Structure formats: structure tokens, C-alpha cells
């Protein structure tokens, strides 16, 4: 089956090197997320290089679009058959083959198909663990208790492989399905790394080197510094799990929020522009123009030299005919009204008030005031006379009473 390119939740780095002893590099790798493959060729005189290259190309063409252990295993089996066919057809040489560690990772799911002694490691919470089992003679001896892991590293038959692609048409890979977590780190490598440096050193480099590409390079450098007796290949993959999914959701929400804000701002500015246009089109105000009352349409003032009003007409009403307070307002900021019609009605009111004041005679008011004063004086005089008469009558009565009293005494 063909494999579609997919975006995955991982970052990665890789490096391969011929080492210090071999004349050419028989390792091949492929990094095509979510697929990662390391193959270590064997067979001598470039035949191993041919086998490993056939393997990675066939696996890449037949791998599933998403992590599926069974489908990935079938892709590895196809690679095995392709190497056998190539050798039969004279491509490379008979007996050529390769090891293979193929992995697919997406979100928090990891699947692996394994043949030979290339390895897959997982760094989880700072601790390194080997995920795959070597298909080698020394691995069988360690499992049976005949030798220790330390002895296996220096055993004279440590390079003997018990299972490889290109050796048997019925070869099947070991399959693994593993749940991983955000922050985990996957390492795929050829035995040129694992045979040269201890797992503790591998762990230290993976723990202390944050960048996956730099980590892959430093692992290769460490193997070369230890002697580089074989080709060495590394692929380091950082697991971001569902963090990428969350990031995409947040990005989508951010885009939607930004779009809504843009729409809101457009609505606000559009509404403000409409309101301002409506106001400048319909509003009006009265102001002083050459001593007369003038009608303007719009609103007073300007912005950056742009006026928002225009003169409609200068009326015949003079500011001298207006009340002082009104005249001062017109000389100042002007008197705002709702419309030009309202402005004309107000001007007409001013005109009628001015005409009413002109129709009242100037002396008529003074005479009325004098008459009122005379009437008040007459009333005051009458009141005074009445008071005098009352006092005279009282005095006469008092005198008569006194005389009567005197007569009695006599």
C-alpha cells in the first residue's frame, strides 16, 4: 500500500557516519514522519549497502499512513522479499541482507517492527530502556544465562545475527505497540552505536541534550571517539504527543477570535462612521457671522484641518437684538440644534422677540410708572389725613371726660 505524507506530533534529528574502520557506509535510514527506519547492511563489498537501501525504500513505499503494527510488519516483510529478488536478479550479491528497526509514532502511540540487532530505545522520565530484543547469538546466550551482558559486549561471536532481512523468505519481524507520553524521546540506532558505548552514556547524552539533531550528532561522535569500529547511525525523535493537537486547537481558536475581533472593530468603526456621517449631514448649529446670526449644517470644529460643517445662510437677525447670554454663546462655541429646520425656527423666534421689543413706545412705560407713583402718593396722603382726624376725635373725648370728672368733684 502507498503511504500518504502526514504531519505528526514529533521533532527529530538524525545522523549516519562511516566510522573509523569501514571503507564505506552500509547503513541506511529514512526519516519521513510518522515513519522512521534504520537498516544496517551486511554482505561485504557494498552488498550490504544495496540491501539496506532496498529495505528503506520498500518500507517507505509500503508503510501505512498511520501507526499500525501489523501493516508496518507487512512492509518489512515486503522489504525482505525485495532483497531476495534483487540478489536473485544479480543486483548486489547473493547472501546480502540487513537488519531493520522501523518505527511509526503519532500523538502518544508508537509501533515498531524489528529484525536483527539494530535497536529502539525509549527515554522516559529521564530513564533509558531498550524496547527491542536483539536477534543475535550473544543475546540468546544472555537470555539463557550462559553469559552476562558485559561478557556479550566482548564476545568473539557478538556480530553473529540470527535473523535478518534477505536471509529467509519466511522471515517475520518482532512487532511492538507501546504507549508513549509527551516528553519521551525515541532513539533508533545501528549496532555501531550500541556496541561502542554503554547504555548509561547513551542515556546521559539524551537527557542533557535538548535538541534532537544535536543529540543524534553527539551520540555518533561518542561512538567514533570510542573507536568507531563500525558504521554508526542514529535517529532521535522527541514525542510531543497531544501537545500538537492542543496547539492546533488553540491556533484555530486564536484565528476565530482574531476574525471576530476584526469583524467587531469593523462594525464599531463602521457604526461610528455612519453615526458621524448622519450627525454631520443632519445636525446644525447657530453661530455669529459678521455680527449676524448664521446657520451652519454639521458640527463645529475640525480635525487635521478638515471641517465638518458648512455655512447654510447668514440671517438678518443681529446679535445686538439678542439677549446677552444668547449672543455670547453664538460668539463662542455656537448653539447646536438637531437640524437646519430647527435652526431656522430658532432664528425666527429670535426675530419675533426682537420685533416685539421694537413695537413698545419708549415713553409709555415711563408715564405708567409716574401715574403709579402719584396714586401711591395720594393714597399715602389720604391715610395720613384719616389718621389725624382719628387722633383729634380721641383728644376731644378725653377732654370731655376730664371735665365731667371735675364737675363732680365740685
Amino acid at each position: 500500500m502507498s503511504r500518504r505524507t502526514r504531519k505528526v506530533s514529533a521533532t527529530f534529528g538524525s545522523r549516519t557516519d562511516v566510522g573509523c574502520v569501514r571503507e564505506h557506509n552500509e547503513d541506511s535510514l529514512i526519516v519521513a514522519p510518522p515513519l522512521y527506519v534504520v537498516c544496517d547492511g551486511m554482505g561485504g563489498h557494498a552488498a550490504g549497502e544495496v540491501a539496506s537501501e532496498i529495505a528503506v525504500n520498500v518500507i517507505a513505499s509500503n508503510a501505512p499512513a498511520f501507526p499500525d503494527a501489523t501493516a508496518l510488519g507487512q512492509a518489512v516483510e515486503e522489504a525482505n522479499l525485495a532483497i531476495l529478488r534483487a540478489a536473485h536478479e544479480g543486483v548486489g550479491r547473493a547472501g546480502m541482507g540487513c537488519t531493520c528497526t522501523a518505527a511509526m509514532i503519532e500523538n502518544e502511540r508508537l509501533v515498531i517492527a524489528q529484525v536483527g540487532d539494530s535497536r529502539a530505545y525509549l527515554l522516559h522520565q529521564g530513564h533509558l530502556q531498550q524496547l527491542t530484543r536483539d536477534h543475535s547469538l550473544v543475546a540468546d546466550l544472555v537470555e539463557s544465562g550462559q553469559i552476562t551482558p558485559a561478557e556479550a559486549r566482548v564476545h568473539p561471536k557478538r556480530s553473529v545475527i540470527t535473523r535478518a532481512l534477505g536471509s529467509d523468505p519466511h522471515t517475520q519481524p518482532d512487532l511492538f505497540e507501546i504507549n508513549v507520553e509527551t516528553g519521551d524521546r525515541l532513539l533508533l540506532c545501528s549496532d555501531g552505536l550500541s556496541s561502542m558505548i554503554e547504555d548509561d552514556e547513551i542515556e546521559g547524552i539524551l537527557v542533557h541534550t535538548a535538541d534532537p539533531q544535536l543529540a543524534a550528532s553527539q551520540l555518533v561522535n561518542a561512538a567514533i571517539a570510542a573507536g568507531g569500529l563500525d558504521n554508526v547511525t542514529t535517529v532521535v525523535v522527541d514525542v510531543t504527543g497531544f501537545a500538537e493537537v492542543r496547539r492546533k486547537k488553540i491556533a484555530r481558536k486564536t484565528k476565530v477570535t482574531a476574525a471576530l475581533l476584526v469583524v467587531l472593530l469593523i462594525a464599531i468603526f463602521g457604526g461610528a462612521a455612519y453615526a458621524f456621517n448622519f450627525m454631520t449631514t443632519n445636525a446644525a448649529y447657530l453661530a455669529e457671522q459678521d455680527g449676524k446670526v448664521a446657520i451652519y449644517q454639521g458640527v463645529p470644529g475640525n480635525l487635521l484641518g478638515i471641517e465638518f460643517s458648512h455655512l447654510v445662510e447668514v440671517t438678518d437677525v443681529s446679535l445686538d437684538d439678542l439677549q446677552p447670554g444668547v449672543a455670547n454663546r453664538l460668539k463662542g462655541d455656537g448653539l447646536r440644534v438637531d437640524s437646519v429646520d430647527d435652526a431656522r425656527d430658532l432664528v425666527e423666534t429670535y426675530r419675533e422677540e426682537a420685533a416685539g421689543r421694537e413695537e413698545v413706545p419708549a415713553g409709555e412705560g415711563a408715564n405708567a410708572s409716574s401715574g403709579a407713583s402719584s396714586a401711591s402718593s395720594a393714597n399715602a396722603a389720604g391715610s395720613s389725613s384719616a389718621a389725624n382726624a382719628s387722633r383729634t376725635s380721641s383728644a376731644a373725648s378725653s377732654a370731655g371726660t376730664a371735665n365731667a370728672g371735675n364737675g363732680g368733684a365740685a
Side-chain angles (χ1 to χ4, degrees):
M1 67 185 74
S2 62
R3 188 181 63 83
R4 300 184 302 274
T5 301
R6 293 168 58 88
K7 291 184 178 180
V8 297
S9 53
T11 57
F12 54 85
S14 64
R15 182 182 169 189
T16 185
D17 194 278
V18 69
C20 301
V21 176
R22 299 295 179 89
E23 293 182 357
H24 58 276
N25 193 347
E26 294 184 348
D27 289 357
S28 295
L29 65 90
I30 184 168
V31 175
L35 176 67
Y36 306 90
V37 184
V38 169
C39 291
D40 182 358
M42 55 190 183
H45 195 61
E49 181 180 353
V50 173
S52 65
E53 185 175 354
I54 291 173
V56 295
N57 289 334
V58 172
I59 293 171
S61 299
N62 292 274
F66 53 88
D68 183 311
T70 301
L72 182 60
Q74 291 173 350
V76 173
E77 292 175 20
E78 289 292 332
N80 177 54
L81 296 176
I83 293 172
L84 289 171
R85 284 194 302 269
H88 179 72
E89 295 169 358
V91 179
R93 65 168 55 182
M96 69 179 180
C98 67
T99 67
C100 175
T101 301
M104 296 188 74
I105 186 169
E106 186 172 51
N107 295 329
E108 295 185 347
R109 186 166 183 238
L110 168 66
V111 299
I112 299 172
Q114 162 77 16
V115 174
D117 63 351
S118 295
R119 292 181 179 180
Y121 289 92
L122 184 69
L123 183 72
H124 176 69
Q125 296 181 351
H127 299 287
L128 188 69
Q129 54 184 315
Q130 183 178 337
L131 301 178
T132 55
R133 175 190 177 277
D134 293 348
H135 299 144
S136 66
L137 177 61
V138 293
D140 292 341
L141 294 175
V142 170
E143 287 185 357
S144 65
Q146 299 181 48
I147 62 174
T148 65
E151 291 172 335
R153 296 185 66 84
V154 294
H155 196 280
K157 294 186 178 181
R158 61 184 179 275
S159 298
V160 177
I161 304 300
T162 59
R163 197 189 308 180
L165 300 184
S167 60
D168 183 345
H170 301 293
T171 296
Q172 292 184 336
D174 290 343
L175 303 179
F176 304 86
E177 295 188 16
I178 302 165
N179 292 326
V180 293
E181 297 179 0
T182 300
D184 288 351
R185 175 169 275 185
L186 174 68
L187 167 66
L188 306 183
C189 65
S190 63
D191 70 329
L193 176 72
S194 57
S195 64
M196 297 306 301
I197 61 175
E198 301 277 353
D199 286 0
D200 289 345
E201 186 175 356
I202 294 174
E203 179 182 289
I205 293 173
L206 292 176
V207 168
H208 295 103
T209 310
D211 181 72
Q213 180 58 56
L214 183 58
S217 294
Q218 289 190 354
L219 288 169
V220 172
N221 291 340
I224 293 173
L229 301 180
D230 197 358
N231 308 143
V232 55
T233 299
T234 59
V235 174
V236 178
V237 185
D238 285 343
V239 180
T240 58
F242 292 104
E244 180 69 11
V245 176
R246 290 191 291 269
R247 186 194 65 78
K248 290 180 178 179
K249 287 183 178 179
I250 292 173
R252 284 195 296 268
K253 289 182 179 180
T254 301
K255 289 180 180 178
V256 171
T257 302
L260 290 176
L261 287 175
V262 170
V263 172
L264 180 60
L265 289 174
I266 291 174
I268 291 173
F269 284 115
Y274 175 80
F276 186 77
N277 180 67
F278 181 85
M279 181 173 60
T280 55
T281 302
N282 295 277
Y285 66 96
L286 300 178
E288 183 269 340
Q289 180 73 34
D290 298 330
K292 301 290 186 179
V293 177
I295 299 175
Y296 288 85
Q297 184 176 29
V299 293
N302 66 82
L303 178 64
L304 300 177
I306 302 174
E307 297 287 344
F308 300 109
S309 64
H310 64 275
L311 178 64
V312 175
E313 63 176 297
V314 178
T315 70
D316 58 354
V317 178
S318 174
L319 260 65
D320 295 338
D321 296 334
L322 304 180
Q323 296 292 338
V326 175
N328 288 335
R329 289 187 62 183
L330 297 184
K331 290 179 181 179
D333 296 333
L335 182 62
R336 300 190 186 190
V337 292
D338 293 335
S339 66
V340 172
D341 290 340
D342 290 343
R344 288 194 173 102
D345 291 342
L346 190 56
V347 169
E348 186 61 30
T349 300
Y350 293 157
R351 187 180 287 111
E352 290 174 355
E353 289 178 356
R357 284 192 293 273
E358 291 176 357
E359 291 175 358
V360 178
E364 192 173 298
N367 292 335
S369 177
S370 299
S373 298
S374 299
S376 296
S377 298
N379 290 337
S383 297
S384 178
S385 298
N388 290 336
S390 176
R391 285 195 295 272
T392 302
S393 175
S394 298
S397 298
S398 298
T401 302
N403 291 330
N406 291 333

